[in-house]
Amino acid sequence: MEVPKEQITALIDQGLYDSAQMLIILGDSLFRDREYRRAIHTYKQALHYYKIVPKQNSTSSRSSLSTSNRSSSPNSFNVSAINENEVKYKIASCHFALGETKAAIVEMEGIPSKARNLQMSLLMAKLYRNSRHNRGAVACYKECLRHCPFFIEAITALAELGATPKDIISLFAQRYVEAQCCIASNDYKGGLELFAELLQRFPNNIHILLEMAKVRNGCTSINIRLTDLQMIKYVKVDAIIGKNDEAIINFEKVVRSIDPYILTYMDEYAMLLKVKCDYSKLSKLVHDLLSIDPSRPEVFVALSVLWERKDERGALSYAEKSIRIDERHIPGYIMKGNLLLSMKRPEAAVIAFRGAQELRPDLRSYQGLVHSYLQFSKVKEALYAAREAMKAMPQSAKALKLVGDVHASNASGREKAKKFYESALRLEPGYLGAALALAELHVIEGRNGDAVSLLERYLKDWADDSLHVKLAQVFAATNMLQEALSHYEAALRINSQNEAAKKGLERLEKQMKGVDPDAPEEDEENEVEDAEGDQEETDLL
């Protein structure tokens, strides 16, 4: 719909300023319907008519007002109600929704900084951040806090952009700032302890619970245990080392029970459910998310997690869709990278993980880069990425283990790998990942007894299927078949979907029957012979 200029002029000439504002109302309606191009056109029409037409009548309007002592009429009030800065903000919002950052910045920079309200400052900050103009983004986020000292999004963004607690504390509560700065600098344990302290003061605070759950999923060696599940009155949180189960409690028992319609970080929750092989809960979660808002990037990442087991290509398309919806959605890049890695496309996986790192480096993106480089034998690049992680997170046992993983990838580096794994365990004695990696190294070098002793120490405190699988493998390798059987069964009791346990148990049953588990099946032998014959024919041709 386009309103002819002469009709707008006639309306204003007759003093019908309410009708003249219909272009703004039409633009708002188009924006809500996501017809952003039409909305931009309509808003610009409104600005054009508003700038030109009133000037033609300004003299007569002023003279009539000067001869009257009465207050402004409703019509004359409505002329001033058309705020040019507000319309520019709406045009910029349309460009932002279309991913047209430069055009949006041009519109927003046309609004004087002193005239910007909270929403305008926030949009300006996001635009500057998207265009990597970090200094401008920091200034705008600080302006947001001057408008509203309790604006959580601005605090988080400032911490991620490298602002120190001292820079922000004058604008907001000290503890929350310190927590966000700890997380941004990869001090996950310190950040979680501060969030736990805040949660005692503000029980059931959805935002704090989500932040804690998100950090746990990104750094699973540090966790929060919720000891009081009657969340209506209060939540007590303790910092412990090691288990994913508490992260699931954070998401499920706390956040989703308090607000079942929340979408924020629910893709992180989906990833945790997949790690635990809880596909029934994962399926229900995706169904719930689709019924709440099927247009959010979190929903498409969750769909990608669900489809990974059935159709990796379909899962990849969902991950890519999440990035198209929001090019700054980090879980989308992480999921895409992991899928490409499992599809043996490490070069493409590197690009995805680098995309996540450019937005905010964290442990998962470093892990993805290291594993991607190792998959196509780029050991030097893998070592560089692992060392980057160690520099960024000097107090992280996981970063130390990552360097060890690179050294363990070749025989000459095993002694160095052993030292890094042991350092990780000294830094964080409860870190099961480092213990499993060190045990694997013992097995490779023939120290099966050392591997068993190390792993059995963890059985007292851990009910973990991967721990039982590793013990079963070591016992099977040393021909202690009954002990191996016991641990495979224990692993499957904890997680009936553990593929390594299923395959290991099948192999073990063959050993116990006196059958060589490495001997190919009859069908496999035929397939191999046919393949060799095909190769000979090719050579002859």
Side-chain angles (χ1 to χ4, degrees):
M1 173 181 177
E2 185 169 322
V3 182
K5 178 181 176 181
E6 58 272 13
Q7 291 185 24
I8 297 295
T9 306
L11 289 167
I12 293 175
D13 285 341
Q14 298 298 317
L16 300 177
Y17 300 111
D18 281 344
S19 298
Q21 291 185 68
M22 63 183 169
L23 280 171
I24 304 296
I25 296 169
L26 173 61
D28 291 346
S29 176
L30 291 169
F31 182 87
R32 283 192 292 271
D33 287 341
R34 300 182 182 179
E35 295 191 49
Y36 301 118
R37 296 278 180 216
R38 293 183 66 201
I40 291 170
H41 178 67
T42 305
Y43 287 137
K44 287 186 174 180
Q45 264 191 294
L47 277 182
H48 177 71
Y49 295 151
Y50 178 67
K51 287 178 180 178
I52 294 175
V53 179
K55 291 178 182 178
Q56 299 170 356
N57 301 288
S58 59
T59 305
S60 59
S61 297
R62 281 196 296 270
S63 62
S64 64
L65 284 170
S66 63
T67 58
S68 172
N69 291 326
R70 293 175 297 170
S71 62
S72 300
S73 68
N75 284 340
S76 61
F77 172 80
N78 284 332
V79 173
S80 63
I82 300 176
N83 187 316
E84 185 177 341
N85 292 331
E86 286 285 349
V87 179
K88 287 182 178 178
Y89 164 72
K90 290 175 180 182
I91 294 171
S93 297
C94 291
H95 284 302
F96 181 67
L98 291 166
E100 297 169 353
T101 302
K102 289 183 179 178
I105 288 175
V106 169
E107 292 294 338
M108 288 303 298
E109 288 180 342
I111 303 173
S113 57
K114 291 183 179 179
R116 291 178 195 150
N117 58 24
L118 175 59
Q119 288 180 318
M120 293 175 183
S121 295
L122 177 60
L123 179 59
M124 191 82 254
K126 288 180 176 179
L127 290 168
Y128 279 146
R129 192 176 183 187
N130 285 4
S131 59
R132 292 176 173 76
H133 180 18
N134 289 348
R135 185 177 295 179
V138 166
C140 290
Y141 279 123
K142 285 184 176 180
E143 190 60 36
C144 289
L145 289 179
R146 292 188 186 97
H147 284 290
C148 177
F150 292 90
F151 191 25
I152 304 298
E153 185 177 348
I155 292 289
T156 305
L158 283 168
E160 290 172 353
L161 287 165
T164 64
K166 188 177 179 181
D167 292 334
I168 314 170
I169 282 168
S170 61
L171 303 168
F172 192 68
Q174 179 174 343
R175 280 291 183 232
Y176 186 83
V177 174
E178 289 176 348
Q180 284 293 355
C181 288
C182 282
I183 301 303
S185 61
N186 301 301
D187 179 9
Y188 298 115
K189 186 176 181 181
L192 286 170
E193 287 171 351
L194 289 166
F195 277 135
E197 183 183 322
L198 283 169
L199 197 62
Q200 290 177 344
R201 293 179 58 196
F202 305 101
N204 293 348
N205 184 286
I206 288 287
H207 181 81
I208 295 172
L209 290 167
L210 282 170
E211 287 294 321
M212 294 169 77
K214 178 192 74 170
V215 172
R216 180 193 316 285
N217 194 20
C219 185
T220 54
S221 65
I222 299 168
N223 294 276
I224 297 298
R225 174 174 289 155
L226 303 176
T227 58
D228 185 352
L229 297 181
Q230 296 184 4
M231 304 301 174
I232 304 301
K233 295 185 177 179
Y234 63 90
V235 180
K236 181 180 178 182
V237 184
D238 298 311
I240 64 168
I241 303 298
K243 304 172 185 175
N244 283 341
D245 295 338
E246 285 74 16
I248 292 176
I249 291 173
N250 267 7
F251 279 121
E252 186 178 78
K253 300 294 185 183
V254 185
V255 175
R256 280 176 63 78
S257 66
I258 295 171
D259 185 353
Y261 298 102
I262 198 158
L263 288 169
T264 307
Y265 302 149
M266 286 299 107
D267 45 0
E268 303 276 6
Y269 176 38
M271 291 179 187
L272 276 171
L273 290 175
K274 187 242 177 187
V275 169
K276 300 299 290 183
C277 299
D278 196 337
Y279 293 104
S280 61
K281 282 185 181 177
L282 176 58
S283 181
K284 184 181 184 305
L285 173 67
V286 172
H287 179 270
D288 291 346
L289 297 181
L290 283 167
S291 67
I292 296 167
D293 184 355
S295 65
R296 287 278 292 269
E298 294 93 339
V299 178
F300 284 94
V301 175
L303 277 165
S304 178
V305 175
L306 179 63
W307 275 85
E308 180 180 5
R309 194 169 59 139
K310 306 173 187 175
D311 177 7
E312 284 186 330
R313 291 186 180 276
L316 182 61
S317 69
Y318 283 128
E320 289 172 338
K321 174 73 172 176
S322 74
I323 297 169
R324 286 198 297 274
I325 293 171
D326 181 0
E327 62 181 17
R328 298 188 62 80
H329 193 64
I330 293 173
Y333 290 94
I334 297 293
M335 191 64 202
K336 180 180 177 180
N338 286 334
L339 285 165
L340 290 167
L341 200 54
S342 68
M343 295 166 73
K344 309 299 182 188
R345 295 172 58 189
E347 294 93 338
V350 166
I351 296 170
F353 289 124
R354 282 291 180 200
Q357 271 208 328
E358 286 178 8
L359 295 169
R360 187 180 66 248
D362 68 11
L363 190 62
R364 289 180 299 180
S365 57
Y366 283 119
Q367 288 173 327
L369 282 171
V370 169
H371 296 151
S372 299
Y373 283 130
L374 288 177
Q375 195 174 97
F376 63 112
S377 303
K378 295 280 187 179
V379 178
K380 185 178 179 181
E381 288 81 355
L383 188 58
Y384 179 78
R387 285 173 176 167
E388 269 190 334
M390 196 169 64
K391 289 176 185 175
M393 295 168 274
Q395 297 302 311
S396 169
K398 281 201 165 187
L400 287 170
K401 177 191 173 284
L402 207 52
V403 180
D405 290 344
V406 179
H407 287 303
S409 66
N410 60 83
S412 62
R414 286 174 188 161
E415 191 56 38
K416 283 185 179 179
K418 181 172 176 284
K419 290 178 181 177
F420 275 101
Y421 293 150
E422 289 171 344
S423 295
L425 288 172
R426 280 194 298 272
L427 182 63
E428 200 173 298
Y431 180 23
L432 183 59
L436 291 171
L438 183 57
E440 178 64 23
L441 208 57
H442 284 323
V443 172
I444 290 171
E445 297 188 333
R447 299 189 298 271
N448 290 357
D450 291 343
V452 170
S453 299
L454 174 65
L455 295 172
E456 284 184 337
R457 290 205 301 268
Y458 284 83
L459 280 179
K460 300 173 185 177
D461 302 314
W462 288 82
D464 188 278
D465 51 322
S466 60
L467 177 57
H468 284 285
V469 168
K470 180 57 68 178
L471 270 165
Q473 290 170 344
V474 177
F475 281 126
T478 52
N479 212 33
M480 299 173 70
L481 304 187
Q482 198 58 47
E483 288 84 349
L485 177 64
S486 173
H487 283 290
Y488 276 133
E489 289 173 343
L492 289 170
R493 280 195 299 273
I494 295 169
N495 179 5
S496 61
Q497 302 297 320
N498 189 308
E499 290 298 324
K502 288 179 182 178
K503 291 177 181 177
L505 187 59
E506 183 182 338
R507 178 184 174 87
L508 182 66
E509 286 171 348
K510 289 181 180 179
Q511 282 182 272
M512 296 179 86
K513 291 175 183 177
V515 177
D516 182 2
D518 296 317
E521 300 289 342
E522 186 177 341
D523 291 342
E524 291 176 357
E525 288 178 351
N526 291 335
E527 288 174 8
V528 171
E529 288 171 3
D530 290 342
E532 289 174 352
D534 290 342
Q535 183 60 48
E536 288 174 1
E537 290 176 4
T538 303
D539 292 341
L540 286 170
L541 287 168

